[in-house]
Amino acid sequence: MDENIIQGNPTKTFFIEMITRDISIKDAILDLLDNSIDGANIINPLTYEGLYINITISKDEFIVNDNCGGFSLDTAKKYAFRFGRPDDAPEAKGSVGRFGIGMKRALFKIGKTFEVESKTDNDHFEVNVDVNEWRNKTKTIKQNEVEKEIEDWDFRYVNITEENCNLSENGTYVKVTNLHSEVADLFEDEEFLSTLKGDIERLLNFSLEKKIKITLNDQELDSKDIKVFNEQSEPYFYEGEKDGVKFRVIAGLGEVGNPSVSGWYIYCNDRLVLEADKTEATGWGTSGIPKWHMDYVMFRGIVFLDAEETINLPLTTTKKGIDTTSDIYKSVLVYMREATSNIIPFLKQITKLGDEANNYRKLLAEQETKISVVDMKSVPISPEKRKFTAPEIDTDLIAQRKEFVRIAYDVKKDIANKVKYHSGSKSYKELGETTFYYYIKMEDLENE
């Protein structure tokens, strides 16, 4: 046996106790949801309608149950339960998972006992793990005719029958029990659950807009969608490709609302990884671009980064940030800065209105149609659209609008489009006025 060897292999304790420290409980849960959505994307990348993810949280257990296709026994054996992504792993095909640690790290973070059940057309199996037993498990190998005891990193699975399962359709069932004490305390905290709900609605808003149904303790979640004005003003659009990553940059105006929603949003394979950023990371306060200020509250910028091979994305392991040193991000940042520079002069013009500035922002929001984040990704664009078209500022109209109130209501898009066509309305705003004044005329006729 070669005595000039210095051991460099990892330990199970490192993975159980250390690699979980840089991720929060909420991020661990989101990692598991990302796996479900990756499955949904394989089933149908265009729409997730009919698919669901149910989350159940209490002080005693944590469960995620989905009907998003499951994963095969072969995948489980070769990749899903490995610590790290093997070199021979197949391409991730547009998933968010990147380094091969997300599911295991999340499960270790939450509790000491877990089960993972998966059902596909061909396989139905379950993996049960007691983390403390697994930590202490060893096996004997023979090396240079000498027996040696080493850590056993393997997990065991069992095939299960329809009579003894949690899944009635293809999907995945994950259950964690014997929760860590701090996790159990969090799962009893209503404020934590409320914050988790908001995080899921924001960070997975793209998937929610694609009609996947997510419930948290039987409460259905809604999308916190990002919308950009797209009628009187026209957003900046640009798309390109570099090093296996397709990118699309959109920037324009949004609702006045809360200043916390202003800034840049970056999606990697449809997962929101940077939200309402107003820092130098997205160009603010760098050469030629001012630091973000309340005057720029209407600014909205969206970046979509998509890659078949997820490793090409400039994504951090916690999916809560962007690697700003990556070549792909540096290339995209050029267009983000260009877009910001296009929009800032108009936002400064609004500020010059003085006391009327806020009235104008509200007026513009009332008049504009909005384009949703899903539509922003799919709307056709032309190369010459690489500029922001600002709306005309009509100060007389601002003064007149003080006597007006806004009436808003939602109807199904296909019905609205039909009525807009038959009424000859050029916009949804005009359609609203047409239907309102039609009602008034009918009232006048009835009163004659």
Side-chain angles (χ1 to χ4, degrees):
M1 184 169 65
D2 189 350
E3 296 181 355
N4 297 331
I5 292 294
I6 298 173
Q7 290 189 358
N9 54 298
T11 66
K12 288 190 276 189
T13 298
F14 170 76
F15 279 91
I16 294 169
E17 296 182 359
M18 298 302 295
I19 206 167
T20 58
R21 291 194 179 186
D22 68 342
I23 189 170
S24 69
I25 292 298
K26 284 185 287 188
D27 290 333
I29 293 170
L30 283 160
D31 258 343
L32 296 174
L33 303 186
D34 285 336
N35 290 340
S36 297
I37 289 168
D38 285 344
N41 197 55
I42 292 171
I43 293 172
N44 188 346
L46 299 178
T47 178
Y48 301 157
E49 195 160 10
L51 301 178
Y52 63 77
I53 307 170
N54 296 327
I55 312 158
T56 305
I57 292 178
S58 72
K59 64 182 179 61
D60 298 315
E61 63 184 15
F62 168 83
I63 299 172
V64 175
N65 178 28
D66 71 54
N67 68 338
C68 299
F71 56 94
S72 69
L73 182 57
D74 186 61
T75 297
K77 286 180 175 181
K78 294 179 179 178
Y79 312 113
F81 286 89
R82 294 282 295 273
F83 289 87
R85 192 161 177 265
D87 291 338
D88 64 346
E91 287 189 355
K93 296 296 182 185
S95 73
V96 181
R98 185 181 185 193
F99 297 103
I101 60 174
M103 180 176 71
K104 286 79 67 180
R105 177 170 63 176
L107 297 174
F108 289 147
K109 181 76 176 182
I110 295 170
K112 302 172 187 174
T113 308
F114 61 83
E115 60 184 277
V116 179
E117 179 183 338
S118 178
K119 184 178 187 298
T120 68
D121 288 338
N122 301 314
D123 303 308
H124 196 172
F125 64 94
E126 184 178 67
V127 177
N128 283 283
V129 178
D130 181 307
V131 176
N132 288 332
E133 287 182 5
W134 179 79
R135 181 205 300 255
N136 297 321
K137 190 172 63 169
T138 61
K139 62 183 177 181
T140 302
I141 64 169
K142 184 172 281 190
Q143 190 176 64
N144 297 328
E145 302 302 320
V146 177
E147 288 189 346
K148 182 179 180 181
E149 192 170 319
I150 63 170
E151 289 184 329
D152 183 356
W153 288 72
D154 296 336
F155 298 99
R156 301 292 186 269
Y157 75 91
V158 293
N159 290 308
I160 57 179
T161 63
E162 298 297 328
E163 296 78 28
N164 185 30
C165 68
N166 298 293
L167 293 167
S168 59
E169 52 188 322
N170 290 354
T172 306
Y173 177 90
V174 176
K175 181 178 181 179
V176 187
T177 53
N178 196 8
L179 306 181
H180 298 302
S181 58
E182 65 275 15
V183 175
D185 290 342
L186 265 184
F187 286 178
E188 279 193 299
D189 186 340
E190 289 299 323
E191 184 176 345
F192 168 81
L193 294 175
S194 176
T195 304
L196 175 63
K197 173 180 177 291
D199 284 350
I200 296 171
E201 289 176 332
R202 291 186 346 269
L203 300 177
L204 301 186
N205 72 313
F206 198 95
S207 296
L208 286 163
E209 285 291 307
K210 288 174 74 172
K211 305 303 182 185
I212 198 164
K213 180 182 177 182
I214 303 179
T215 64
L216 174 59
N217 288 347
D218 296 324
Q219 181 183 5
E220 187 171 349
L221 307 191
D222 298 315
S223 167
K224 301 293 186 187
D225 193 24
I226 306 156
K227 290 184 170 63
V228 173
F229 296 169
N230 187 40
E231 188 173 341
Q232 296 185 58
S233 65
E234 294 181 9
Y236 170 105
F237 279 100
Y238 184 74
E239 64 182 2
E241 185 171 357
K242 179 180 173 66
D243 299 336
V245 178
K246 294 180 180 179
F247 62 89
R248 174 175 280 215
V249 179
I250 303 110
L253 308 177
E255 300 275 6
V256 181
N258 189 330
S260 65
V261 302
S262 176
W264 280 100
Y265 295 75
I266 300 181
Y267 289 83
C268 287
N269 282 355
D270 297 343
R271 167 70 139 81
L272 185 61
V273 297
L274 198 63
E275 179 183 17
D277 189 88
K278 309 173 185 66
T279 70
E280 291 183 5
T282 51
W284 293 100
T286 59
S287 177
I289 297 176
K291 290 184 177 181
W292 187 91
H293 185 274
M294 275 295 294
D295 291 347
Y296 312 135
V297 68
M298 296 186 80
F299 180 89
R300 298 291 186 280
I302 320 289
V303 177
F304 295 107
L305 299 167
D306 294 284
E308 287 286 307
E309 184 52 69
T310 319
I311 197 72
N312 293 334
L313 294 170
L315 183 63
T316 63
T317 63
T318 57
K319 305 171 193 172
K320 290 187 72 175
I322 288 290
D323 177 8
T324 57
T325 65
S326 73
D327 287 342
I328 175 62
Y329 185 70
K330 288 177 182 176
S331 296
V332 174
L333 185 59
V334 171
Y335 301 103
M336 293 167 63
R337 287 172 46 81
E338 180 180 76
T340 306
S341 298
N342 263 239
I343 297 166
I344 289 294
F346 174 71
L347 297 177
K348 287 181 176 179
Q349 281 184 2
I350 297 177
T351 304
K352 291 177 182 178
L353 294 173
D355 294 340
E356 296 297 337
N358 225 27
N359 287 332
Y360 174 72
R361 293 185 184 106
K362 292 177 182 177
L363 171 62
L364 187 57
E366 290 174 6
Q367 293 180 331
E368 281 279 14
T369 57
K370 289 92 177 172
I371 182 171
S372 74
V373 66
V374 171
D375 291 336
M376 276 187 269
K377 186 172 183 181
S378 59
V379 66
I381 62 174
S382 57
E384 61 269 17
K385 194 61 200 73
R386 195 171 146 186
K387 65 177 181 177
F388 166 71
T389 303
E392 184 179 347
I393 297 179
D394 188 340
T395 53
D396 292 334
L397 182 59
I398 297 170
Q400 293 172 16
R401 291 293 294 184
K402 290 182 178 180
E403 302 173 9
F404 287 74
V405 295
R406 181 171 183 258
I407 299 173
Y409 53 91
D410 294 322
V411 298
K412 286 188 175 180
K413 189 174 182 179
D414 57 343
I415 296 174
N417 285 336
K418 287 178 183 177
V419 178
K420 187 170 76 167
Y421 171 77
H422 287 293
S423 67
S425 301
K426 296 179 180 178
S427 66
Y428 293 129
K429 173 180 175 291
E430 186 178 336
L431 173 61
E433 292 173 348
T434 299
T435 54
F436 179 79
Y437 287 113
Y438 175 81
Y439 173 81
I440 290 177
K441 288 175 183 177
M442 291 301 295
E443 284 284 295
D444 290 342
L445 288 172
E446 290 173 4
N447 292 330
E448 285 182 357

